[in-house]
Amino acid sequence: MSLYQYAREENAERLRDALGSDSAAVRRRAAEFLGEVGDVDNQPTVDGLLRAATSDDDAEVRGAAVDALDELGQEALERLLEELTGTSGSEAEWVTARKFARALKADRPELRMAAANALGGLDDASGLQHLVEALDDEDSRVRLRACQACGTFADQRSVPALTERLDDEDPRVRRAAANALGNVGTDQALSPLLDLLDDGDESLRRIAAGALGKANNPEPVEPLARALGDESAVVRNAAVYSVIELLSNVPTEQSHAVRDRVVSELKSADDATVVEPLVEILTDGQQSRQRRNAAWILGRVAEPESAIAVEALADALADEDAQTAQFAATSLKSLGGPIVEDRLLDRIGTEHPEDARAKAVFVLGQVGGQETLNRLEGLTDDESSAVRQRVFSAVSKLRAGGP
């Protein structure tokens, strides 16, 4: 049976046995799985990982065991540090933080790794400066965990040192530094990520594209638009999400100019690349501002023949956020065409919410043809006054030959 199957069955005993394998790769994977499925109250598991973290002859196995103890919880990681530093678990957190900070100077890299992990888990910013210094550690495993820990603090003071790590020789460190800068999220922290959109590492491009939507200025618009042509689908998807987030974040006085630039750039991109993520944001997004922006942009960048865009916009007529529903109606009017007419005719029945029906009728009055006129004439005695009012207006326009 494979280690993966043992992990699926949460068979910690078999995974602990694998820590004694002759293969370093097997021992490392066993440690990683124990971090995922182990229990901090299971003494044999903790002891096995402690032995691996302190005495295994392979550096990657020791590192995996340190991280596994961290995964089990602060208590397990502190046990490792207690053994190596003499720390008492009963001490105040600020005392513990000081001892962990001192451990970042220890000779053993595994101890420095554990200290970086532990400091990242403490609610004590006094350890930040020590973590920043650890970003220059000679061991890339320590630099990696120092980057990750800095990311948990998301403190502006770590930005210069994290930026330097974007040129680290270890790609894992570069990714961790990019993630940490994204967590900081200030314009100063995000600016170095712009260049990463052209990096050869797909993961770095994805991290950068996903983080740049947090900016409070329009500078990332054009680089993100270029990323819409990236060879990687995950990078393109992250870029679209960030463009929408960017529209939600930029100051009001800049929003109009940014919207114009966004629409211009998105219209020049491949339709499927842009439309599919926008539809996903509109249908599954949790933030009203993002759904509004997605609804608004779809009416300007989608083709009238785009069934998924029209379907999503038609569904959004019933959105609980009134502005999202209104933007959806406006976008459907802008798109027009047979598909819009067909989807809206499906939504004028009484099984749909009153407001959504009224909006559907309004748009049909702008884009409909003879079939729409025939259907709407049957709604002149609808039980909803809002729907009837829209019907009378729409029928009048259609009989007159248009709006």
Side-chain angles (χ1 to χ4, degrees), residues 74-251:
Q74 190 76 9
E75 180 182 343
L77 188 59
E78 288 184 9
R79 279 201 52 197
L80 171 62
L81 289 162
E82 285 171 21
E83 291 191 11
L84 297 173
T85 67
T87 301
S88 169
S90 62
E91 291 171 331
E93 191 165 270
W94 67 270
V95 176
T96 302
R98 285 188 177 182
K99 289 195 174 184
F100 289 170
R102 286 202 298 272
L104 281 173
K105 302 292 186 182
D107 290 336
R108 294 189 59 176
E110 287 74 33
L111 179 51
R112 302 199 301 274
M113 291 162 56
N117 281 351
L119 282 170
L122 290 177
D123 186 20
D124 188 332
S126 66
L128 178 65
Q129 184 55 43
H130 300 284
L131 288 168
V132 169
E133 293 171 2
L135 292 173
D136 287 325
D137 195 279
E138 64 183 7
D139 193 304
S140 64
R141 297 172 301 161
V142 178
R143 298 197 302 275
L144 170 64
R145 287 152 182 87
C147 285
Q148 293 168 339
C150 284
T152 65
F153 283 106
D155 192 303
Q156 178 71 24
R157 292 173 293 175
S158 64
V159 169
L162 286 170
T163 301
E164 290 183 9
R165 294 275 64 81
L166 294 178
D167 294 321
D168 199 278
E169 61 186 15
D170 188 328
R172 298 174 303 170
V173 175
R174 298 180 68 204
R175 295 171 197 145
N179 268 319
L181 288 167
N183 287 342
V184 176
T186 62
D187 285 349
Q188 181 185 351
L190 297 174
S191 182
L193 301 184
L194 291 169
D195 291 338
L196 296 185
L197 291 173
D198 296 319
D199 197 273
D201 186 329
E202 176 187 340
S203 295
L204 274 174
R205 300 199 306 278
R206 175 189 56 78
I207 291 168
L212 285 167
K214 299 176 182 178
N216 289 303
N217 68 82
E219 184 182 7
V221 171
E222 289 186 26
L224 284 171
R226 290 198 303 273
L228 295 173
D230 196 278
E231 63 184 18
S232 165
V234 294
V235 175
R236 297 195 300 269
N237 197 58
V240 175
Y241 268 84
S242 277
V243 166
I244 295 297
E245 189 178 6
L246 191 64
L247 285 176
S248 302
N249 291 339
V250 294

Side-chain angles (χ1 to χ4, degrees), residues 51-64:
R51 284 193 297 273
T54 56
S55 61
D56 196 281
D57 59 8
D58 184 89
E60 292 301 318
V61 175
R62 295 195 299 272

Side-chain angles (χ1 to χ4, degrees), residues 228 236 240 265-279 297-298 300-309 335:
L228 295 173
R236 297 195 300 269
V240 175
E265 298 290 352
L266 293 185
K267 286 182 73 172
S268 64
D270 176 71
D271 187 67
T273 295
V274 174
V275 169
E276 290 180 10
L278 286 174
V279 166
I297 291 177
L298 274 172
R300 287 151 180 80
V301 302
E303 295 295 332
E305 297 78 20
S306 176
I308 62 168
L335 292 176

Side-chain angles (χ1 to χ4, degrees), residues 318-334:
D319 196 281
E320 59 185 16
D321 178 66
Q323 283 187 272
T324 300
Q326 186 57 52
F327 283 147
T330 302
S331 287
L332 287 166
K333 176 183 172 183
S334 297

